[in-house]
Amino acid sequence: MTACCRVARAGEVAVMLDWAAAEGWNPGLDDAAAFHAADPDGFFVSEVGGQVVAAISVVNHSDAFAFLGLYLCRPEFRGRGIGFALWNFARSHAGDRTVGLDGVAAQQANYARSGFVLYGRTQRLSGHLATEALTLPVARAVEIPEIERLDAAANGVSRPGFLHTWLQDGPTRKTVLGRDGKTITGVATARTCRDGCKIGPIIADDAHAALHLARQAASAVGESRVTIDVPDTAAPFAELLRQQGFTEGFSTARMYSGDAPAAGQCLQAVATLELG
C-alpha cells in the first residue's frame, strides 16, 4: 500500500507529541499549540490506507534558518522507506535555509549521510529543585520583543514566530526574568510536562545566574521535578546541576546542514530539542 505525504493538520501535532511521549521525550502539556504556531506549514505526516504512520517537523524560524524534529514512525511501519520518503518531502519546506536538528545516537550516522555535520552535544539532565518564594518578575507580553532580541543573540538565530507563543504566560507555562535595572539580562521558561517540568530556554551570564533562574522558573509553575537540556557550551551549568543531584538521561548531537549559527556565550539551556 502506497504511503502519502502531506502537511499535518493542527490537531495532528498533538498526536505527534503523544508518539514522542511514548518514546520517553516527556513533552509539555501545551507544547502542541506552541509548536504549531511557530510554523503552521512546518509539520508533516505520512499516511498509509488513511492511517497516519510517520511524522516529522521542519519549522522555518527565519528566512535563513529552519529546525528539524519530531521524526517518528510507528514501529510496525519501520524499515519500509516510509520515514525517509517523508524526510525528503519535509526537507523541501526549508528551501535553501540552514537546517539544525538534535539527533539521538541511533540516527546520527543517518543524518550525516544526509549532509548534516556534528556541531556539539546536548545533555538531558533531570533532578529536583526545591520550590522557593518567587522573587523574579514573570514576563509580560510587552516584554517579548526584548526577550526575542536576547534569544537571538544567545542562539545566533532569530525566531520571533516561535517565541511569540512559547513565551506567553499561562497556567502551565511561565517565563521569569533577570534584570539589571530596566534591562533584561536573563530568561528562563518553565512548562509543565507529563512528568514534572522542563525549563528552557535559559539565558544567563553565568552558571550561578542560570541556576537561580531555573529555581525561580520551576517555582513559578509549582514543580520540583525538573528536566533541563544543556548544550556542551554550558559545561559549568551542567556541572552545577550535577552538584544539585541532577543526572543525565541521554544526550543528543546538535547537527547542521548548512552554516551553523554564530551562537553567543549566554545560552545555558535550549528551549526544546524538537524546535531548537
Side-chain angles (χ1 to χ4, degrees):
M1 198 173 288
T2 303
C4 174
C5 301
R6 61 170 173 80
V7 175
R9 304 180 185 99
E12 290 171 329
V13 178
V15 174
M16 296 164 71
L17 291 176
D18 285 342
W19 290 3
E23 296 287 336
W25 288 78
N26 190 29
L29 296 182
D30 60 357
D31 278 1
F35 282 10
H36 187 259
D39 180 2
D41 296 323
F43 297 84
F44 307 88
V45 296
S46 184
E47 287 183 329
V48 174
Q51 176 187 7
V52 174
V53 301
I56 195 170
S57 60
V58 178
V59 169
N60 291 340
H61 284 305
S62 72
D63 291 340
F65 185 76
F67 203 86
L68 185 153
L70 290 171
Y71 187 32
L72 301 157
C73 186
R74 297 284 296 273
E76 63 269 30
F77 288 90
R78 294 172 186 168
R80 304 186 189 182
I82 294 171
F84 188 59
L86 181 61
W87 165 283
N88 289 328
F89 180 81
R91 279 289 305 274
S92 66
H93 179 64
D96 60 359
R97 294 171 176 83
T98 289
V99 181
L101 60 80
D102 282 307
V104 296
Q107 293 293 332
Q108 287 166 25
N110 290 332
Y111 298 146
R113 284 192 288 270
S114 292
F116 284 82
V117 177
L118 178 66
Y119 177 80
R121 298 194 182 275
T122 302
Q123 308 166 62
R124 171 154 291 184
L125 298 174
S126 298
H128 285 78
L129 293 175
T131 56
E132 59 187 23
L134 192 60
T135 58
L136 294 181
V138 173
R140 300 168 297 157
V142 70
E143 292 165 315
I144 290 178
E146 186 175 353
I147 299 170
E148 289 172 355
R149 289 190 289 272
L150 195 67
D151 182 84
N155 286 280
V157 172
S158 178
R159 45 186 191 169
F162 169 55
L163 291 173
H164 179 76
T165 303
W166 192 255
L167 299 171
Q168 291 293 332
D169 184 42
T172 67
R173 186 183 301 265
K174 302 288 181 183
T175 297
V176 297
L177 304 177
R179 287 187 175 278
D180 182 3
K182 294 183 178 180
T183 303
I184 297 174
T185 58
V187 176
T189 299
R191 67 196 198 276
T192 306
C193 298
R194 303 182 188 207
D195 179 22
C197 74
K198 287 182 182 175
I199 304 177
I202 301 177
I203 300 169
D205 288 336
D206 57 51
H208 288 280
L211 181 60
H212 180 51
L213 283 162
R215 288 188 187 279
Q216 287 282 288
S219 296
V221 295
E223 289 284 352
S224 63
R225 299 188 314 282
V226 173
T227 296
I228 304 176
D229 295 319
V230 183
D232 56 9
T233 53
F237 182 45
E239 178 57 30
L240 197 56
L241 289 172
R242 287 191 175 91
Q243 293 173 15
Q244 304 297 312
F246 278 59
T247 58
E248 182 178 329
F250 60 85
S251 67
T252 61
R254 176 57 67 91
M255 307 177 78
Y256 292 104
S257 173
D259 295 332
Q265 299 298 311
C266 294
L267 184 66
Q268 306 289 340
V270 303
T272 163
L273 297 179
E274 293 82 11
L275 268 71

